Amino acid sequence: MKHKVTFLPDNVTVSVDDNTSLYRAVKAAGVYVLSSCGGKGNCGKCKVVIKDGTIESGKSRSFLTAEEADRGYALACLSRVKGDLTIEIPPESRMQAKHKIATGAKTDELLKHMQSIGGCFESRISRAYIELSPPTIDDNISDFDRLRRALDQAGFSASHIHMNYLALSKLPRVLREGNWKVTVSFFNVTEVLEVLGIFPGDATKTRYGAAVDIGTTTVVVYLVDMTNGHIIGTASTYNSQVKNGDDVITRIVYATERNGLKELQDLVVGNINTLLTELAEKNNVPQGLIDYIVVAGNTTMEHLFYGIDPQHIREEPYIPVATFFPLIRGKNVGLRIDAQAILYAMPNVASYVGGDVTAGVLVSQIHKQEKVSLFIDIGTNGEIVLGNKDWLVTAACSAGPAFEGSGIKFGMRAMEGAIEEVEIDPKTYDVNFRVIGDAKPIGICGSGMIDALAEMYMNGVIDQKGKIREEIGSKRIRRGESGLEYVLAWRVESAINKEIVITEVDLDNLIRAKAAIYAGFATLLSQMGMTFSGIDKLYIAGGFGRYIDVERAITIGMLPDLPVDKFLFLGNTSIMGAYYALLCDQLRHEAEEIARKMTYIELSVSRSFMDQYLSALFLPHTNLEAFPTVKKELEKRKLS
Amino acid sequence: MKHKVTFLPDNVTVSVDDNTSLYRAVKAAGVYVLSSCGGKGNCGKCKVVIKDGTIESGKSRSFLTAEEADRGYALACLSRVKGDLTIEIPPESRMQAKHKIATGAKTDELLKHMQSIGGCFESRISRAYIELSPPTIDDNISDFDRLRRALDQAGFSASHIHMNYLALSKLPRVLREGNWKVTVSFFNVTEVLEVLGIFPGDATKTRYGAAVDIGTTTVVVYLVDMTNGHIIGTASTYNSQVKNGDDVITRIVYATERNGLKELQDLVVGNINTLLTELAEKNNVPQGLIDYIVVAGNTTMEHLFYGIDPQHIREEPYIPVATFFPLIRGKNVGLRIDAQAILYAMPNVASYVGGDVTAGVLVSQIHKQEKVSLFIDIGTNGEIVLGNKDWLVTAACSAGPAFEGSGIKFGMRAMEGAIEEVEIDPKTYDVNFRVIGDAKPIGICGSGMIDALAEMYMNGVIDQKGKIREEIGSKRIRRGESGLEYVLAWRVESAINKEIVITEVDLDNLIRAKAAIYAGFATLLSQMGMTFSGIDKLYIAGGFGRYIDVERAITIGMLPDLPVDKFLFLGNTSIMGAYYALLCDQLRHEAEEIARKMTYIELSVSRSFMDQYLSALFLPHTNLEAFPTVKKELEKRKLS
């Protein structure tokens, strides 16, 4: 028996079998519903409103308020279709289109920076225009030998030239079409030049490449003119794998399910193809002329993109299949580019420090400096690198995706409708907030959470352990279904017809997340026998990092209490590093050197990390002396 | 409108559109009908008998006798289907199953010979059994790095080890399945070892390879146990491309037609797959364990097999796309073997001297001898190599496929029903013949034609120019539709209810063919300033070569008049050479050196060749002094 399910506001209808999970119906319809757990009933994010029809509901635990239940709310993943349905996806469950995705800086700035760190325009793929003498009966060597001879005469050592099958099959036609004047495209592999392609006439001016950042949450593509390094266009979208879980662990679990790996691979490859097509069409670049693509992602994302089973990344002792992925044709993963196009992935270091971090270090250049720097990429995970020109150590601090909204009642990503700045009046406890897109709020994003935590603590709404101080007697403090909570936005102020609150559970999760990051810093430093005072610069990368208020991040003890001018924001270093490696083969080599040089420290089994983590589960820290600025401010406030 | 066409004796029915060519219907039904010209109406071989129904017949020129027309004969390629039909394919138009295909000698002999010429069992693909230490939290490098480390410890330089994508994707499963004991399969390419495959446990004893001879007419496969060189089985079949023409030129023309190239490639790949499956099933060898395959064929056959356009081979200045084909995966041409299996083609020299000849020289070892030898492969074409350890020259003498039956009224290949030996009584002119399979004859094959020509000449039935001497007054001499003809088998003796004759047109074609071969020898020798007396050995290769009576071949002036003990028969050197190269990488290298060393001489534009050819258009030759043995025998006969 089949039922029709219509989703509003998209107005998409699908036909599904009786008893199908509503979450599966959502996926079948291709509409988006937030979900952190990938439909396992653990996150409570996939709220939908039953407008018409019958479902069978499983236990929704405490995810739904009584009022929501009254209004027809249900969790999609715990509901089964029992008849024709009309379902509304409420604003708080929708993916918003206008997400602040950091696509990096402009061409001129990037090229200037790339050149300042020694970058060049010598890519691993190159072209040469060659004029051959036509065959005669006295000079009737094969087409390929003729090409080799001409290349030899042009200064390429013929004995190092290989030709692949596809190029060979085109050779006779192209040689004659170009009247024995052709352009040869080479791929430089160990000591051999492989002929990738062959074009009639002079085609040296039409070479395109693509740099790709495969984030756990978002995918960014740069379309690049390889002859001058110019970024022709940039585009970004959500990583569609998000529907199978917010974080890498959920994705790995999904990949072990039947056909899950292939499904996840196809999703992200589909995203990249969509972006490439969009950019190619908009800029009149034939997609088939893209012959080189460099991707950067974390280790799990690179495994999934290549279709390589990531399951052992997740289980102790946390083993990736490979850190350096073999070079393959892009078409082999399904990319719609030149059939011969080479795909290169930025090298990973370990299971939880990936090619995105290698790319970031390349951009930061901390591996070339005399003084010691810290590099942190705050994304869905938090990866940290400490070092200088002599050594590099790295760790992943498993902060979890709290700052991306996961596990936070009204948490959401930095998209339209998210509270991104919070101020609390020290006298009235009134809240002043700013919302992305200047809209009515539907939730709160990472930078807003940091602000809220800092403001609540500095103004005495919460104590050092993150517990709400009910005794201050504010009307914003109330007891909700999961304990005490603090109202950030009243029902009339919000876009979702209910109060937006921060609960004690939220506070607890945020403190755990910030503690993990700080403990990561501290552990790496202590491993090297250093203290924070030895840090020359602290580089912050990542889309989220970009919008952090450093002083408030120090206030909550997420970042160390260093002078503000030591913090530098780099933006999306993953795509930047991929772009540099795409353009300049020297920098690609440098990235491989960086990956080889990094020593990975597994924090999850480190005693020292556990100690540091427990000490950091306070605001800002058990040891207030480590945060002199915060201490001073607290004392000032007490005096006032 | 559709019509049903049933073919007897196979009793296969197909449904075709009105006005479809009957030749196309034959192909659609998958039954065989002989055709030299590929259905162009030029050869008159595709005779069928209309048993029931209506056709529309084109001009059959002189291909059919009045009597045949009466009996319902028609040429399939010139007939169009106009209604339901029952068609019989008469014996003379059928491919016979029992073709004498030379599959080479037995394993022991071959191995002994291979070893005597320096062959070894070190193939380009090898395996190593490796035990790894399982990962721990303190030793959590990636699976691939762990394998490299273990290989390094086992003496393989890790920096030279690459792993391909497919092998990598299996790596995590196999490592754990084999409990960290695995077998690695390597492919040795330039200075790198590529990991081709990985197997749990010790899999060093299950390696299989295949050697393939792609002849214009037949395909031969050896299935080989790579651990000991043993030939597990041999199998052969017709090259199914034959239905698109007998010779390479017709095939090249067909390949330029829409989809023709792909069709021809698929046909020969299909043949090889069928043979591989047959051998694998019969010998309980999983086909997926075949990981290396070496093919040898002439330049056109290798182009077609790789799906590389051969059209410029045919047109002056006769340019192949490549002589050395790139290494590819066998699956890329459609072979059903291990997905990673490597395909290697014996290197070609020029458009009309291919990898089969390189293989042949390797087997003959003329390139290692002090004294000068001649090598000839008499197949559909005649390729000649002259030389010693210092030099090698080669040419193709465009003999054409007359000795394979093409252009000869009752010509056929060496299959059951073919007259293979002929004797003529000098007094009565009566004919004594032997038929392959001791059956009633349906035609005459190459060795029978040489015999017939020699016997007719020596007994005065024909003169030095090949003209029938009507004046001798034999009842076997008569005037047929294309001039004078000589009856070899009377109607009652034949299996086709008519006389089997040799016409003056046939005689002319045979003399042209033998003249081309002799002129080829003579031209190469004169290019090197030599005479036949300087030849130490004359090696004859090829399935046809095997059954030649040397003395009679000398009598007609096809082979030079040298002592009979200078002639050596090698058999199918194409498959033998491929087998040697498969087993021993050293010999594969040697074959490449041979191909590079050979200097190709294009006879078709050689003035000297034309002179030699014109002089050879007599029996045995214009200059009888060059054939002292024949001269002596003729004088003896005159005296008697």
Side-chain angles (χ1 to χ4, degrees):
Chain A
M1 194 170 47
K2 292 269 185 186
H3 304 302
K4 283 206 170 131
V5 186
T6 302
F7 293 96
L8 303 175
D10 306 78
N11 201 21
V12 178
T13 303
V14 282
S15 172
V16 297
D17 286 329
D18 186 57
N19 212 35
T20 299
S21 139
L22 192 50
Y23 187 75
R24 289 186 70 90
V26 162
K27 287 175 72 180
V31 296
Y32 263 120
V33 163
L34 285 182
S35 166
S36 300
C37 68
K40 308 272 182 220
N42 297 329
C43 71
K45 295 272 176 192
C46 60
K47 289 176 186 170
V48 294
V49 187
I50 316 297
K51 287 293 190 188
D52 193 37
T54 322
I55 56 155
E56 183 184 288
S57 269
K59 286 181 301 176
S60 301
R61 289 201 257 164
S62 58
F63 293 128
L64 298 176
T65 62
E67 190 207 334
E68 283 175 333
D70 283 352
R71 283 163 55 202
Y73 272 67
L75 290 188
C77 68
L78 297 174
S79 307
R80 300 202 161 266
V81 180
K82 285 294 179 188
D84 290 355
L85 287 171
T86 303
I87 302 293
E88 182 185 315
I89 300 170
E92 64 268 35
S93 299
R94 268 181 238 153
M95 283 276 199
Q96 305 292 315
K98 291 181 195 161
H99 183 192
K100 285 187 181 178
I101 296 176
T103 53
K106 297 215 179 93
T107 283
D108 294 349
E109 282 173 46
L110 278 184
L111 282 181
K112 217 163 115 184
H113 180 252
M114 187 190 83
Q115 282 164 324
S116 77
I117 65 170
C120 58
F121 288 122
E122 280 165 34
S123 166
R124 192 158 183 189
I125 293 176
S126 55
R127 287 197 186 176
Y129 170 68
I130 302 286
E131 300 190 357
L132 297 90
S133 56
T136 65
I137 197 74
D138 299 315
D139 174 24
N140 60 357
I141 55 175
S142 75
D143 287 344
F144 180 40
D145 286 335
R146 184 169 307 276
L147 181 67
R148 284 160 68 109
R149 187 176 63 187
L151 288 168
D152 209 21
Q153 285 160 358
F156 300 89
S157 171
S159 67
H160 293 132
I161 291 172
H162 284 202
M163 187 159 217
N164 74 60
Y165 176 56
L166 269 177
L168 185 68
S169 68
K170 283 185 199 158
L171 184 63
R173 185 178 52 73
V174 173
L175 283 178
R176 288 162 182 90
E177 212 174 285
N179 200 19
W180 308 95
K181 296 179 183 68
V182 295
T183 300
V184 178
S185 162
F186 293 111
F187 175 55
N188 200 334
V189 50
T190 47
E191 283 163 27
V192 168
L193 284 180
E194 188 191 324
V195 176
L196 273 192
I198 178 146
F199 310 87
D202 185 349
T204 52
K205 294 288 172 265
T206 49
R207 272 205 62 218
Y208 301 95
V212 179
D213 166 36
I214 306 178
T216 309
T217 307
T218 53
V219 177
V220 184
V221 172
Y222 284 7
L223 178 63
V224 180
D225 181 336
M226 297 299 284
T227 61
N228 57 19
H230 190 79
I231 299 171
I232 299 170
T234 70
S236 63
T237 186
Y238 284 105
N239 184 332
S240 297
Q241 294 172 345
V242 162
K243 67 180 171 191
N244 300 110
D246 267 0
D247 55 57
V248 295
I249 298 300
T250 330
R251 307 257 178 103
I252 293 172
V253 172
Y254 191 84
T256 62
E257 291 172 13
R258 196 174 64 86
N259 216 25
L261 176 58
K262 181 77 175 67
E263 196 180 317
L264 292 177
Q265 182 186 27
D266 289 348
L267 285 171
V268 71
V269 168
N271 291 145
I272 297 171
N273 278 335
T274 304
L275 296 178
L276 282 174
T277 303
E278 179 188 322
L279 286 171
E281 285 178 359
K282 200 161 138 191
N283 298 284
N284 282 319
V285 171
Q287 224 166 316
L289 288 184
I290 299 172
D291 63 12
Y292 192 23
I293 187 159
V294 174
V295 305
N298 64 51
T299 311
T300 301
M301 286 305 113
E302 291 196 3
H303 276 67
L304 295 176
F305 174 62
Y306 275 81
I308 302 278
D309 182 5
Q311 69 170 301
H312 305 290
I313 287 179
R314 189 181 145 243
E315 302 150 355
E316 207 183 312
Y318 317 112
I319 307 294
V321 175
T323 49
F324 285 57
F325 280 89
L327 286 158
I328 59 171
R329 310 279 167 196
K331 70 167 178 193
N332 286 348
V333 297
L335 290 176
R336 286 199 302 267
I337 45 183
D338 175 39
Q340 300 277 32
I342 299 293
L343 168 61
Y344 177 81
M346 296 300 279
N348 303 289
V349 176
S351 274
Y352 294 105
V353 174
D356 51 350
V357 177
T358 306
V361 172
L362 176 69
V363 173
S364 77
Q365 294 278 299
I366 68 171
H367 65 291
K368 290 241 188 98
Q369 294 164 24
E370 285 285 339
K371 294 184 179 166
V372 175
S373 301
L374 258 174
F375 170 92
I376 180 163
D377 188 339
I378 313 180
T380 310
N381 285 288
E383 296 100 343
I384 305 173
V385 185
L386 175 71
N388 63 6
K389 66 179 179 51
D390 299 317
W391 52 269
L392 293 168
V393 292
T394 184
C397 48
S398 335
F403 288 113
E404 305 226 320
S406 196
I408 307 299
K409 188 160 187 178
F410 287 90
M412 64 185 287
R413 299 200 192 89
M415 47 180 87
E416 194 168 303
I419 296 175
E420 59 169 347
E421 281 181 33
V422 175
E423 257 185 313
I424 296 179
D425 187 291
K427 298 284 185 322
T428 63
Y429 302 112
D430 261 1
V431 179
N432 213 338
F433 53 77
R434 216 170 70 169
V435 178
I436 296 176
D438 292 323
K440 279 191 168 187
I442 56 177
I444 179 164
C445 71
S447 59
M449 295 177 208
I450 291 173
D451 272 20
L453 201 58
E455 286 289 299
M456 286 167 86
Y457 175 56
M458 293 308 283
N459 295 305
V461 178
I462 54 175
D463 67 15
Q464 225 195 336
K465 291 179 181 169
K467 298 295 166 207
I468 292 174
R469 296 175 64 223
E470 209 172 354
E471 65 269 26
I472 64 169
S474 162
K475 63 179 190 306
R476 287 181 180 260
I477 297 173
R478 64 188 200 187
R479 192 160 291 271
E481 293 183 336
S482 49
L484 287 177
E485 55 190 34
Y486 187 76
V487 178
L488 288 179
W490 297 108
R491 181 190 288 239
V492 292
E493 295 172 310
S494 87
I496 51 174
N497 200 25
K498 58 187 164 191
E499 291 85 7
I500 293 170
V501 303
I502 284 207
T503 69
E504 277 194 343
V505 175
D506 293 344
L507 291 165
D508 203 41
N509 283 334
L510 290 171
I511 289 173
R512 282 169 198 274
K514 76 93 189 172
I517 292 170
Y518 187 83
F521 291 136
T523 307
L524 281 194
L525 283 166
S526 79
Q527 286 265 351
M528 302 308 295
M530 288 180 65
T531 60
F532 283 106
S533 61
I535 300 299
D536 182 52
K537 293 268 182 283
L538 200 153
Y539 294 93
I540 300 177
F544 165 53
R546 222 165 185 210
Y547 303 98
I548 289 177
D549 179 319
V550 171
E551 291 180 37
R552 277 162 166 169
I554 293 171
T555 299
I556 66 167
M558 178 169 116
L559 293 178
D561 196 350
L562 296 176
V564 175
D565 60 8
K566 292 203 168 193
F567 293 88
L568 287 150
F569 292 95
L570 297 176
N572 184 342
T573 52
S574 179
I575 185 80
M576 287 161 74
Y579 166 67
Y580 291 3
L582 175 79
L583 273 187
C584 170
D585 207 46
Q586 172 95 26
L587 290 182
R588 186 190 60 80
H589 270 290
E590 199 171 309
E592 295 195 347
E593 284 312 307
I594 289 168
R596 286 198 192 91
K597 200 167 146 187
M598 278 200 249
T599 304
Y600 176 70
I601 291 166
E602 180 57 58
L603 295 183
S604 68
V605 295
S606 157
R607 188 70 241 154
S608 154
F609 176 75
M610 278 313 290
D611 293 344
Q612 293 283 1
Y613 175 68
L614 293 172
S615 305
L617 287 175
F618 289 82
L619 294 172
H621 194 267
T622 319
N623 174 20
L624 196 55
E625 301 306 319
F627 288 80
T629 324
V630 184
K631 187 180 174 196
K632 206 165 135 195
E633 177 65 20
L634 280 170
E635 280 163 0
K636 206 175 77 186
R637 295 207 178 198
K638 266 184 199 151
L639 290 176
S640 73
Chain B
M1 193 172 46
K2 292 268 185 188
H3 305 301
K4 283 205 170 129
V5 186
T6 302
F7 292 96
L8 303 174
D10 306 80
N11 201 20
V12 178
T13 303
V14 283
S15 173
V16 297
D17 286 328
D18 185 56
N19 210 38
T20 299
S21 140
L22 191 51
Y23 187 75
R24 290 186 70 91
V26 163
K27 288 176 71 177
V31 296
Y32 264 118
V33 163
L34 286 181
S35 166
S36 300
C37 67
K40 308 273 184 222
N42 296 328
C43 73
K45 296 271 175 193
C46 60
K47 289 176 187 169
V48 295
V49 186
I50 316 300
K51 286 293 189 190
D52 193 39
T54 323
I55 55 154
E56 181 183 292
S57 269
K59 286 181 298 175
S60 300
R61 288 202 259 163
S62 57
F63 293 127
L64 299 176
T65 62
E67 190 207 334
E68 282 175 335
D70 283 351
R71 284 162 56 202
Y73 272 66
L75 291 187
C77 69
L78 296 174
S79 307
R80 300 201 162 267
V81 180
K82 285 293 177 188
D84 290 355
L85 287 172
T86 303
I87 301 292
E88 183 186 313
I89 298 170
E92 64 267 37
S93 300
R94 267 179 237 151
M95 283 277 199
Q96 304 293 316
K98 293 181 195 161
H99 182 192
K100 286 189 181 176
I101 295 176
T103 55
K106 297 217 177 92
T107 283
D108 294 347
E109 284 173 46
L110 277 184
L111 283 179
K112 218 164 113 185
H113 180 251
M114 187 189 83
Q115 281 164 326
S116 75
I117 65 169
C120 58
F121 288 122
E122 280 164 34
S123 165
R124 192 159 184 188
I125 292 174
S126 56
R127 288 198 186 175
Y129 171 69
I130 301 285
E131 300 192 354
L132 298 88
S133 55
T136 66
I137 196 76
D138 299 316
D139 174 24
N140 60 357
I141 56 175
S142 74
D143 287 342
F144 180 39
D145 286 335
R146 183 169 308 275
L147 180 67
R148 284 160 67 107
R149 188 175 64 189
L151 287 170
D152 209 19
Q153 286 160 0
F156 301 88
S157 171
S159 67
H160 293 131
I161 291 172
H162 283 202
M163 185 159 218
N164 75 61
Y165 176 56
L166 270 176
L168 185 69
S169 68
K170 283 183 195 157
L171 184 64
R173 183 179 54 73
V174 173
L175 283 177
R176 287 161 184 88
E177 211 173 284
N179 201 18
W180 307 94
K181 295 177 184 69
V182 294
T183 300
V184 178
S185 161
F186 293 112
F187 175 58
N188 198 335
V189 49
T190 47
E191 285 164 26
V192 168
L193 284 181
E194 189 191 320
V195 175
L196 273 193
I198 180 146
F199 310 87
D202 185 349
T204 53
K205 294 288 171 264
T206 50
R207 270 206 64 216
Y208 301 96
V212 179
D213 166 37
I214 306 177
T216 308
T217 306
T218 53
V219 177
V220 184
V221 172
Y222 284 7
L223 178 63
V224 181
D225 181 336
M226 297 298 285
T227 62
N228 57 18
H230 190 78
I231 298 171
I232 298 171
T234 69
S236 63
T237 186
Y238 284 104
N239 184 333
S240 297
Q241 293 173 347
V242 162
K243 67 179 168 191
N244 300 110
D246 267 1
D247 55 55
V248 296
I249 298 299
T250 330
R251 307 259 178 101
I252 293 172
V253 172
Y254 191 84
T256 60
E257 291 171 12
R258 195 174 63 84
N259 216 29
L261 177 59
K262 180 80 175 64
E263 198 182 314
L264 292 177
Q265 181 185 30
D266 290 348
L267 285 171
V268 71
V269 169
N271 290 145
I272 298 171
N273 279 332
T274 303
L275 296 178
L276 283 172
T277 303
E278 180 189 322
L279 286 171
E281 284 178 0
K282 200 162 141 192
N283 298 285
N284 281 318
V285 171
Q287 222 166 321
L289 288 185
I290 299 171
D291 63 12
Y292 191 22
I293 188 159
V294 174
V295 304
N298 64 50
T299 311
T300 300
M301 287 304 113
E302 293 196 3
H303 276 67
L304 294 176
F305 174 62
Y306 276 80
I308 302 278
D309 182 5
Q311 67 169 302
H312 304 291
I313 287 180
R314 189 182 145 243
E315 302 150 355
E316 205 185 317
Y318 316 113
I319 307 294
V321 176
T323 48
F324 285 57
F325 279 89
L327 287 158
I328 61 171
R329 309 281 167 198
K331 71 165 177 190
N332 287 349
V333 297
L335 291 176
R336 286 198 302 268
I337 45 182
D338 174 40
Q340 298 278 33
I342 298 294
L343 168 62
Y344 177 80
M346 296 299 280
N348 303 289
V349 177
S351 276
Y352 294 104
V353 174
D356 50 352
V357 177
T358 307
V361 173
L362 176 69
V363 173
S364 77
Q365 294 278 299
I366 66 170
H367 65 292
K368 289 241 188 96
Q369 295 164 24
E370 285 285 339
K371 294 186 181 163
V372 174
S373 302
L374 258 173
F375 170 93
I376 180 162
D377 190 338
I378 313 181
T380 310
N381 285 289
E383 296 100 342
I384 305 172
V385 185
L386 174 73
N388 64 6
K389 67 180 183 45
D390 299 316
W391 52 269
L392 293 168
V393 292
T394 184
C397 47
S398 332
F403 289 111
E404 305 224 322
S406 194
I408 307 299
K409 189 159 185 180
F410 287 89
M412 63 184 291
R413 299 202 192 90
M415 47 179 85
E416 195 167 304
I419 295 174
E420 59 169 347
E421 280 179 36
V422 175
E423 259 185 311
I424 296 179
D425 186 291
K427 299 282 188 314
T428 63
Y429 304 113
D430 261 2
V431 179
N432 213 339
F433 52 77
R434 213 170 73 170
V435 178
I436 298 176
D438 292 321
K440 279 193 168 184
I442 54 176
I444 179 162
C445 71
S447 60
M449 294 177 208
I450 291 173
D451 272 19
L453 202 54
E455 287 288 301
M456 286 167 85
Y457 175 57
M458 293 308 283
N459 294 305
V461 177
I462 52 174
D463 65 14
Q464 224 196 337
K465 289 179 183 169
K467 296 296 166 206
I468 292 174
R469 296 175 62 222
E470 208 173 356
E471 64 270 28
I472 64 169
S474 163
K475 64 179 190 299
R476 289 183 179 260
I477 296 174
R478 64 185 199 189
R479 192 161 294 274
E481 293 183 337
S482 49
L484 288 176
E485 57 191 32
Y486 187 76
V487 178
L488 288 179
W490 297 109
R491 182 188 290 239
V492 291
E493 295 172 310
S494 86
I496 52 175
N497 197 27
K498 59 187 164 190
E499 291 85 7
I500 293 170
V501 302
I502 285 207
T503 68
E504 278 195 344
V505 176
D506 294 345
L507 292 165
D508 202 44
N509 284 335
L510 290 171
I511 289 174
R512 283 170 199 273
K514 76 93 191 169
I517 293 170
Y518 187 83
F521 291 136
T523 307
L524 281 194
L525 283 165
S526 78
Q527 287 265 350
M528 302 310 292
M530 288 179 68
T531 61
F532 282 106
S533 62
I535 301 299
D536 183 50
K537 293 268 181 282
L538 201 153
Y539 294 94
I540 300 178
F544 166 53
R546 226 170 181 203
Y547 303 97
I548 288 178
D549 180 317
V550 170
E551 291 180 38
R552 276 161 167 172
I554 292 171
T555 298
I556 64 165
M558 180 170 116
L559 294 178
D561 196 351
L562 297 176
V564 174
D565 61 5
K566 290 204 170 193
F567 293 89
L568 288 151
F569 291 94
L570 298 175
N572 184 341
T573 51
S574 179
I575 185 81
M576 288 161 73
Y579 166 68
Y580 291 2
L582 175 80
L583 274 187
C584 169
D585 207 45
Q586 174 94 27
L587 290 183
R588 186 189 61 77
H589 270 291
E590 201 172 307
E592 295 195 348
E593 285 311 309
I594 290 168
R596 284 197 195 93
K597 201 168 145 186
M598 277 198 250
T599 304
Y600 176 69
I601 292 167
E602 179 57 55
L603 296 185
S604 69
V605 296
S606 158
R607 187 68 240 157
S608 153
F609 176 75
M610 278 313 291
D611 292 344
Q612 295 284 0
Y613 175 68
L614 293 173
S615 305
L617 287 175
F618 289 79
L619 294 173
H621 195 266
T622 319
N623 176 19
L624 194 57
E625 301 305 319
F627 288 82
T629 323
V630 184
K631 191 183 171 194
K632 207 167 135 195
E633 177 66 19
L634 283 171
E635 283 163 359
K636 207 174 76 188
R637 297 205 177 200
K638 264 182 202 153
L639 291 176
S640 67

